[in-house]
Amino acid sequence: MEDNTIKQVLKKHLKTTGNENFNYQIIQQLNLEQKKQRPNLFNETSIINWFLVVSGFVLFFYLQQESKIDANAISIGCIICAVPLYLLIFNKIYSLKKNIQ
Amino acid sequence: MSKELIQRAKKGNTDALNELIEKYKSVAFSIAFKYLKNKEDAEDITQNAFIIVLRSIKKFRNESKFSTWLYKIIYHECLKVLKSRNLMIEYIPEFTQIEAAEVKDETKKVDHKIDELLSHLKPNEYTVITLFYLKEKSIKEIGEITSFSKANIKVILHRARTKLKEIYNT
């Protein structure tokens, strides 16, 4: 029995599913899962990364300052650091709104 | 496997997804059927494996072949089902025989000698020999799919070939 014969025997006797909707059921399931995914305004991971970078910058400039920083500058720094958090909240509100629609 | 087809499937193109499923379903289903000996279960496992693979196709980076990835999932899903039904299979052997008989009735036109010949192969042997000859997978790739060692695969291949030859020549 040659290799080619083995190949042909195996090929000829492959089982078939017999389910006419086999492919359709898989594709439909994938489409449903895609629809279920929450629509987002921003990618949350990138926001967290941005948050870390901004915080790093603020900390860096704070340490560079020789003179004491006044209360205004500190509050501005805090607001800058908090911006990504606002974006995360907007993102949640947006996805909830879309889901309700 | 064309990279273009994978790219289209990554974008969610229905035709590409359909083409991918069409290309691999028969071998995947045959392997699952050999393990589970039940048409419905084999269909479920195959569909499930396709869903797992296609769900994460966006992360696929062509590091290994798409088919290797798919067959690996099929193989392990089958083992998982067999493991969970270990006792059930042990206690109702008639059930699997009836199922096998039903399928045989559906494919009456099939040459019985060759069908019988293939039925003598154990699921592992069938998987290895099908992947090796039909899908032209290398021993390394079969190792990736089944987690068998190269030496083990060579032994299984040799045993399966000998079995086929013996039965074919009688």
PDB file of all heavy atoms in Angstrom, chain A residues 23-48:
ATOM      1  N   ASN A  23     -21.776  25.978   8.550  1.00  0.00           N
ATOM      2  CA  ASN A  23     -20.968  27.214   8.443  1.00  0.00           C
ATOM      3  C   ASN A  23     -21.764  28.415   8.957  1.00  0.00           C
ATOM      4  O   ASN A  23     -21.244  29.254   9.682  1.00  0.00           O
ATOM      5  CB  ASN A  23     -20.586  27.488   6.997  1.00  0.00           C
ATOM      6  CG  ASN A  23     -19.741  26.393   6.410  1.00  0.00           C
ATOM      7  OD1 ASN A  23     -19.628  25.316   6.981  1.00  0.00           O
ATOM      8  ND2 ASN A  23     -19.152  26.648   5.265  1.00  0.00           N
ATOM      9  N   TYR A  24     -23.033  28.450   8.566  1.00  0.00           N
ATOM     10  CA  TYR A  24     -23.888  29.588   8.914  1.00  0.00           C
ATOM     11  C   TYR A  24     -23.996  29.741  10.433  1.00  0.00           C
ATOM     12  O   TYR A  24     -23.930  30.852  10.963  1.00  0.00           O
ATOM     13  CB  TYR A  24     -25.270  29.396   8.282  1.00  0.00           C
ATOM     14  CG  TYR A  24     -26.285  30.418   8.709  1.00  0.00           C
ATOM     15  CD1 TYR A  24     -26.216  31.727   8.233  1.00  0.00           C
ATOM     16  CD2 TYR A  24     -27.301  30.091   9.604  1.00  0.00           C
ATOM     17  CE1 TYR A  24     -27.134  32.679   8.642  1.00  0.00           C
ATOM     18  CE2 TYR A  24     -28.221  31.039  10.014  1.00  0.00           C
ATOM     19  CZ  TYR A  24     -28.139  32.326   9.538  1.00  0.00           C
ATOM     20  OH  TYR A  24     -29.042  33.263   9.947  1.00  0.00           O
ATOM     21  N   GLN A  25     -24.153  28.600  11.134  1.00  0.00           N
ATOM     22  CA  GLN A  25     -24.300  28.645  12.597  1.00  0.00           C
ATOM     23  C   GLN A  25     -23.059  29.248  13.263  1.00  0.00           C
ATOM     24  O   GLN A  25     -23.161  30.009  14.217  1.00  0.00           O
ATOM     25  CB  GLN A  25     -24.560  27.243  13.141  1.00  0.00           C
ATOM     26  CG  GLN A  25     -25.998  26.799  12.922  1.00  0.00           C
ATOM     27  CD  GLN A  25     -26.207  25.313  13.133  1.00  0.00           C
ATOM     28  OE1 GLN A  25     -25.260  24.547  13.292  1.00  0.00           O
ATOM     29  NE2 GLN A  25     -27.461  24.886  13.112  1.00  0.00           N
ATOM     30  N   ILE A  26     -21.892  28.898  12.725  1.00  0.00           N
ATOM     31  CA  ILE A  26     -20.643  29.438  13.300  1.00  0.00           C
ATOM     32  C   ILE A  26     -20.573  30.944  13.055  1.00  0.00           C
ATOM     33  O   ILE A  26     -20.313  31.727  13.976  1.00  0.00           O
ATOM     34  CB  ILE A  26     -19.410  28.746  12.670  1.00  0.00           C
ATOM     35  CG1 ILE A  26     -19.406  27.255  12.997  1.00  0.00           C
ATOM     36  CG2 ILE A  26     -18.112  29.389  13.137  1.00  0.00           C
ATOM     37  CD1 ILE A  26     -18.413  26.443  12.198  1.00  0.00           C
ATOM     38  N   ILE A  27     -20.836  31.338  11.810  1.00  0.00           N
ATOM     39  CA  ILE A  27     -20.733  32.764  11.460  1.00  0.00           C
ATOM     40  C   ILE A  27     -21.771  33.582  12.224  1.00  0.00           C
ATOM     41  O   ILE A  27     -21.474  34.678  12.720  1.00  0.00           O
ATOM     42  CB  ILE A  27     -20.854  32.955   9.924  1.00  0.00           C
ATOM     43  CG1 ILE A  27     -19.639  32.303   9.251  1.00  0.00           C
ATOM     44  CG2 ILE A  27     -20.938  34.420   9.536  1.00  0.00           C
ATOM     45  CD1 ILE A  27     -19.739  32.141   7.765  1.00  0.00           C
ATOM     46  N   GLN A  28     -22.957  33.017  12.374  1.00  0.00           N
ATOM     47  CA  GLN A  28     -24.015  33.723  13.107  1.00  0.00           C
ATOM     48  C   GLN A  28     -23.604  33.937  14.577  1.00  0.00           C
ATOM     49  O   GLN A  28     -23.766  35.011  15.126  1.00  0.00           O
ATOM     50  CB  GLN A  28     -25.304  32.919  13.036  1.00  0.00           C
ATOM     51  CG  GLN A  28     -26.519  33.707  13.454  1.00  0.00           C
ATOM     52  CD  GLN A  28     -27.723  32.811  13.663  1.00  0.00           C
ATOM     53  OE1 GLN A  28     -27.588  31.640  14.017  1.00  0.00           O
ATOM     54  NE2 GLN A  28     -28.890  33.353  13.433  1.00  0.00           N
ATOM     55  N   GLN A  29     -23.046  32.895  15.160  1.00  0.00           N
ATOM     56  CA  GLN A  29     -22.584  32.974  16.558  1.00  0.00           C
ATOM     57  C   GLN A  29     -21.515  34.061  16.714  1.00  0.00           C
ATOM     58  O   GLN A  29     -21.543  34.842  17.661  1.00  0.00           O
ATOM     59  CB  GLN A  29     -22.010  31.613  16.957  1.00  0.00           C
ATOM     60  CG  GLN A  29     -21.403  31.538  18.332  1.00  0.00           C
ATOM     61  CD  GLN A  29     -22.453  31.301  19.411  1.00  0.00           C
ATOM     62  OE1 GLN A  29     -23.540  30.843  19.109  1.00  0.00           O
ATOM     63  NE2 GLN A  29     -22.132  31.636  20.627  1.00  0.00           N
ATOM     64  N   LEU A  30     -20.591  34.126  15.740  1.00  0.00           N
ATOM     65  CA  LEU A  30     -19.526  35.132  15.791  1.00  0.00           C
ATOM     66  C   LEU A  30     -20.111  36.537  15.655  1.00  0.00           C
ATOM     67  O   LEU A  30     -19.693  37.461  16.351  1.00  0.00           O
ATOM     68  CB  LEU A  30     -18.505  34.887  14.673  1.00  0.00           C
ATOM     69  CG  LEU A  30     -17.628  33.646  14.816  1.00  0.00           C
ATOM     70  CD1 LEU A  30     -16.880  33.369  13.533  1.00  0.00           C
ATOM     71  CD2 LEU A  30     -16.648  33.820  15.965  1.00  0.00           C
ATOM     72  N   ASN A  31     -21.075  36.694  14.755  1.00  0.00           N
ATOM     73  CA  ASN A  31     -21.711  38.007  14.564  1.00  0.00           C
ATOM     74  C   ASN A  31     -22.448  38.455  15.813  1.00  0.00           C
ATOM     75  O   ASN A  31     -22.392  39.620  16.189  1.00  0.00           O
ATOM     76  CB  ASN A  31     -22.704  37.960  13.392  1.00  0.00           C
ATOM     77  CG  ASN A  31     -21.976  37.918  12.069  1.00  0.00           C
ATOM     78  OD1 ASN A  31     -20.804  38.279  11.992  1.00  0.00           O
ATOM     79  ND2 ASN A  31     -22.648  37.465  11.040  1.00  0.00           N
ATOM     80  N   LEU A  32     -23.134  37.500  16.465  1.00  0.00           N
ATOM     81  CA  LEU A  32     -23.866  37.831  17.688  1.00  0.00           C
ATOM     82  C   LEU A  32     -22.906  38.310  18.773  1.00  0.00           C
ATOM     83  O   LEU A  32     -23.183  39.281  19.466  1.00  0.00           O
ATOM     84  CB  LEU A  32     -24.632  36.606  18.201  1.00  0.00           C
ATOM     85  CG  LEU A  32     -25.937  36.274  17.479  1.00  0.00           C
ATOM     86  CD1 LEU A  32     -26.513  34.981  18.032  1.00  0.00           C
ATOM     87  CD2 LEU A  32     -26.949  37.401  17.664  1.00  0.00           C
ATOM     88  N   GLU A  33     -21.771  37.623  18.865  1.00  0.00           N
ATOM     89  CA  GLU A  33     -20.784  38.013  19.883  1.00  0.00           C
ATOM     90  C   GLU A  33     -20.230  39.405  19.609  1.00  0.00           C
ATOM     91  O   GLU A  33     -19.987  40.174  20.514  1.00  0.00           O
ATOM     92  CB  GLU A  33     -19.645  36.996  19.923  1.00  0.00           C
ATOM     93  CG  GLU A  33     -20.032  35.776  20.703  1.00  0.00           C
ATOM     94  CD  GLU A  33     -18.989  34.698  20.678  1.00  0.00           C
ATOM     95  OE1 GLU A  33     -17.845  34.967  20.288  1.00  0.00           O
ATOM     96  OE2 GLU A  33     -19.326  33.562  21.047  1.00  0.00           O
ATOM     97  N   GLN A  34     -20.055  39.704  18.316  1.00  0.00           N
ATOM     98  CA  GLN A  34     -19.536  41.030  17.949  1.00  0.00           C
ATOM     99  C   GLN A  34     -20.523  42.121  18.339  1.00  0.00           C
ATOM    100  O   GLN A  34     -20.140  43.170  18.825  1.00  0.00           O
ATOM    101  CB  GLN A  34     -19.307  41.094  16.447  1.00  0.00           C
ATOM    102  CG  GLN A  34     -17.829  40.999  16.106  1.00  0.00           C
ATOM    103  CD  GLN A  34     -17.598  41.100  14.628  1.00  0.00           C
ATOM    104  OE1 GLN A  34     -18.526  41.095  13.828  1.00  0.00           O
ATOM    105  NE2 GLN A  34     -16.347  41.175  14.253  1.00  0.00           N
ATOM    106  N   LYS A  35     -21.811  41.836  18.134  1.00  0.00           N
ATOM    107  CA  LYS A  35     -22.837  42.829  18.475  1.00  0.00           C
ATOM    108  C   LYS A  35     -22.902  43.051  19.971  1.00  0.00           C
ATOM    109  O   LYS A  35     -23.210  44.135  20.433  1.00  0.00           O
ATOM    110  CB  LYS A  35     -24.206  42.364  17.958  1.00  0.00           C
ATOM    111  CG  LYS A  35     -24.409  42.706  16.500  1.00  0.00           C
ATOM    112  CD  LYS A  35     -25.766  42.257  16.044  1.00  0.00           C
ATOM    113  CE  LYS A  35     -25.846  42.343  14.528  1.00  0.00           C
ATOM    114  NZ  LYS A  35     -27.017  41.640  14.010  1.00  0.00           N
ATOM    115  N   LYS A  36     -22.628  41.968  20.727  1.00  0.00           N
ATOM    116  CA  LYS A  36     -22.712  42.069  22.186  1.00  0.00           C
ATOM    117  C   LYS A  36     -21.618  42.935  22.785  1.00  0.00           C
ATOM    118  O   LYS A  36     -21.741  43.432  23.875  1.00  0.00           O
ATOM    119  CB  LYS A  36     -22.638  40.670  22.799  1.00  0.00           C
ATOM    120  CG  LYS A  36     -24.002  40.023  22.958  1.00  0.00           C
ATOM    121  CD  LYS A  36     -23.835  38.704  23.667  1.00  0.00           C
ATOM    122  CE  LYS A  36     -25.078  37.861  23.532  1.00  0.00           C
ATOM    123  NZ  LYS A  36     -24.850  36.501  23.993  1.00  0.00           N
ATOM    124  N   GLN A  37     -20.491  43.076  22.021  1.00  0.00           N
ATOM    125  CA  GLN A  37     -19.374  43.846  22.557  1.00  0.00           C
ATOM    126  C   GLN A  37     -19.805  45.286  22.787  1.00  0.00           C
ATOM    127  O   GLN A  37     -20.482  45.886  21.960  1.00  0.00           O
ATOM    128  CB  GLN A  37     -18.206  43.819  21.571  1.00  0.00           C
ATOM    129  CG  GLN A  37     -17.413  42.540  21.683  1.00  0.00           C
ATOM    130  CD  GLN A  37     -16.323  42.473  20.655  1.00  0.00           C
ATOM    131  OE1 GLN A  37     -16.228  43.311  19.774  1.00  0.00           O
ATOM    132  NE2 GLN A  37     -15.500  41.450  20.746  1.00  0.00           N
ATOM    133  N   ARG A  38     -19.379  45.855  23.896  1.00  0.00           N
ATOM    134  CA  ARG A  38     -19.790  47.213  24.230  1.00  0.00           C
ATOM    135  C   ARG A  38     -19.136  48.217  23.291  1.00  0.00           C
ATOM    136  O   ARG A  38     -17.922  48.184  23.084  1.00  0.00           O
ATOM    137  CB  ARG A  38     -19.360  47.531  25.654  1.00  0.00           C
ATOM    138  CG  ARG A  38     -20.279  46.952  26.677  1.00  0.00           C
ATOM    139  CD  ARG A  38     -19.824  47.396  28.039  1.00  0.00           C
ATOM    140  NE  ARG A  38     -20.822  47.082  29.024  1.00  0.00           N
ATOM    141  CZ  ARG A  38     -20.759  47.502  30.268  1.00  0.00           C
ATOM    142  NH1 ARG A  38     -19.762  48.243  30.664  1.00  0.00           N
ATOM    143  NH2 ARG A  38     -21.693  47.176  31.121  1.00  0.00           N
ATOM    144  N   PRO A  39     -19.936  49.144  22.760  1.00  0.00           N
ATOM    145  CA  PRO A  39     -19.313  50.193  21.953  1.00  0.00           C
ATOM    146  C   PRO A  39     -18.577  51.165  22.869  1.00  0.00           C
ATOM    147  O   PRO A  39     -19.093  51.513  23.934  1.00  0.00           O
ATOM    148  CB  PRO A  39     -20.511  50.866  21.278  1.00  0.00           C
ATOM    149  CG  PRO A  39     -21.669  50.539  22.123  1.00  0.00           C
ATOM    150  CD  PRO A  39     -21.376  49.277  22.857  1.00  0.00           C
ATOM    151  N   ASN A  40     -17.383  51.543  22.485  1.00  0.00           N
ATOM    152  CA  ASN A  40     -16.586  52.418  23.332  1.00  0.00           C
ATOM    153  C   ASN A  40     -16.162  53.676  22.594  1.00  0.00           C
ATOM    154  O   ASN A  40     -15.959  53.650  21.384  1.00  0.00           O
ATOM    155  CB  ASN A  40     -15.322  51.700  23.811  1.00  0.00           C
ATOM    156  CG  ASN A  40     -15.633  50.714  24.907  1.00  0.00           C
ATOM    157  OD1 ASN A  40     -16.515  50.949  25.731  1.00  0.00           O
ATOM    158  ND2 ASN A  40     -14.931  49.606  24.913  1.00  0.00           N
ATOM    159  N   LEU A  41     -16.030  54.759  23.343  1.00  0.00           N
ATOM    160  CA  LEU A  41     -15.485  55.992  22.758  1.00  0.00           C
ATOM    161  C   LEU A  41     -13.967  55.905  22.679  1.00  0.00           C
ATOM    162  O   LEU A  41     -13.357  56.322  21.721  1.00  0.00           O
ATOM    163  CB  LEU A  41     -15.864  57.182  23.647  1.00  0.00           C
ATOM    164  CG  LEU A  41     -17.176  57.907  23.368  1.00  0.00           C
ATOM    165  CD1 LEU A  41     -17.368  58.998  24.409  1.00  0.00           C
ATOM    166  CD2 LEU A  41     -17.185  58.506  21.979  1.00  0.00           C
ATOM    167  N   PHE A  42     -13.366  55.366  23.738  1.00  0.00           N
ATOM    168  CA  PHE A  42     -11.912  55.262  23.827  1.00  0.00           C
ATOM    169  C   PHE A  42     -11.513  53.850  24.257  1.00  0.00           C
ATOM    170  O   PHE A  42     -12.295  53.143  24.861  1.00  0.00           O
ATOM    171  CB  PHE A  42     -11.345  56.215  24.893  1.00  0.00           C
ATOM    172  CG  PHE A  42     -11.938  57.580  24.868  1.00  0.00           C
ATOM    173  CD1 PHE A  42     -12.959  57.921  25.734  1.00  0.00           C
ATOM    174  CD2 PHE A  42     -11.472  58.516  23.969  1.00  0.00           C
ATOM    175  CE1 PHE A  42     -13.512  59.182  25.712  1.00  0.00           C
ATOM    176  CE2 PHE A  42     -12.020  59.779  23.940  1.00  0.00           C
ATOM    177  CZ  PHE A  42     -13.042  60.128  24.811  1.00  0.00           C
ATOM    178  N   ASN A  43     -10.265  53.561  23.979  1.00  0.00           N
ATOM    179  CA  ASN A  43      -9.702  52.307  24.458  1.00  0.00           C
ATOM    180  C   ASN A  43      -9.221  52.541  25.900  1.00  0.00           C
ATOM    181  O   ASN A  43      -8.361  53.392  26.140  1.00  0.00           O
ATOM    182  CB  ASN A  43      -8.554  51.914  23.537  1.00  0.00           C
ATOM    183  CG  ASN A  43      -7.873  50.655  23.982  1.00  0.00           C
ATOM    184  OD1 ASN A  43      -8.175  50.108  25.035  1.00  0.00           O
ATOM    185  ND2 ASN A  43      -6.949  50.196  23.173  1.00  0.00           N
ATOM    186  N   GLU A  44      -9.779  51.782  26.839  1.00  0.00           N
ATOM    187  CA  GLU A  44      -9.479  52.020  28.252  1.00  0.00           C
ATOM    188  C   GLU A  44      -8.011  51.794  28.594  1.00  0.00           C
ATOM    189  O   GLU A  44      -7.441  52.484  29.420  1.00  0.00           O
ATOM    190  CB  GLU A  44     -10.379  51.158  29.134  1.00  0.00           C
ATOM    191  CG  GLU A  44     -11.820  51.598  29.016  1.00  0.00           C
ATOM    192  CD  GLU A  44     -12.724  51.055  30.097  1.00  0.00           C
ATOM    193  OE1 GLU A  44     -12.257  50.264  30.909  1.00  0.00           O
ATOM    194  OE2 GLU A  44     -13.907  51.444  30.104  1.00  0.00           O
ATOM    195  N   THR A  45      -7.386  50.837  27.945  1.00  0.00           N
ATOM    196  CA  THR A  45      -5.969  50.564  28.223  1.00  0.00           C
ATOM    197  C   THR A  45      -5.115  51.776  27.853  1.00  0.00           C
ATOM    198  O   THR A  45      -4.208  52.160  28.594  1.00  0.00           O
ATOM    199  CB  THR A  45      -5.489  49.346  27.407  1.00  0.00           C
ATOM    200  OG1 THR A  45      -6.528  48.394  27.386  1.00  0.00           O
ATOM    201  CG2 THR A  45      -4.228  48.748  27.964  1.00  0.00           C
ATOM    202  N   SER A  46      -5.436  52.395  26.700  1.00  0.00           N
ATOM    203  CA  SER A  46      -4.632  53.543  26.286  1.00  0.00           C
ATOM    204  C   SER A  46      -4.859  54.723  27.235  1.00  0.00           C
ATOM    205  O   SER A  46      -3.939  55.498  27.489  1.00  0.00           O
ATOM    206  CB  SER A  46      -4.939  53.929  24.840  1.00  0.00           C
ATOM    207  OG  SER A  46      -6.257  54.388  24.748  1.00  0.00           O
ATOM    208  N   ILE A  47      -6.067  54.812  27.777  1.00  0.00           N
ATOM    209  CA  ILE A  47      -6.336  55.903  28.733  1.00  0.00           C
ATOM    210  C   ILE A  47      -5.494  55.705  29.999  1.00  0.00           C
ATOM    211  O   ILE A  47      -4.891  56.644  30.506  1.00  0.00           O
ATOM    212  CB  ILE A  47      -7.844  55.959  29.088  1.00  0.00           C
ATOM    213  CG1 ILE A  47      -8.629  56.420  27.852  1.00  0.00           C
ATOM    214  CG2 ILE A  47      -8.099  56.912  30.249  1.00  0.00           C
ATOM    215  CD1 ILE A  47     -10.117  56.394  28.025  1.00  0.00           C
ATOM    216  N   ILE A  48      -5.431  54.468  30.458  1.00  0.00           N
ATOM    217  CA  ILE A  48      -4.635  54.187  31.670  1.00  0.00           C
ATOM    218  C   ILE A  48      -3.157  54.470  31.396  1.00  0.00           C
ATOM    219  O   ILE A  48      -2.454  55.076  32.213  1.00  0.00           O
ATOM    220  CB  ILE A  48      -4.865  52.735  32.147  1.00  0.00           C
ATOM    221  CG1 ILE A  48      -6.306  52.619  32.688  1.00  0.00           C
ATOM    222  CG2 ILE A  48      -3.877  52.323  33.225  1.00  0.00           C
ATOM    223  CD1 ILE A  48      -6.823  51.230  32.855  1.00  0.00           C
TER     224      ILE A  48
END
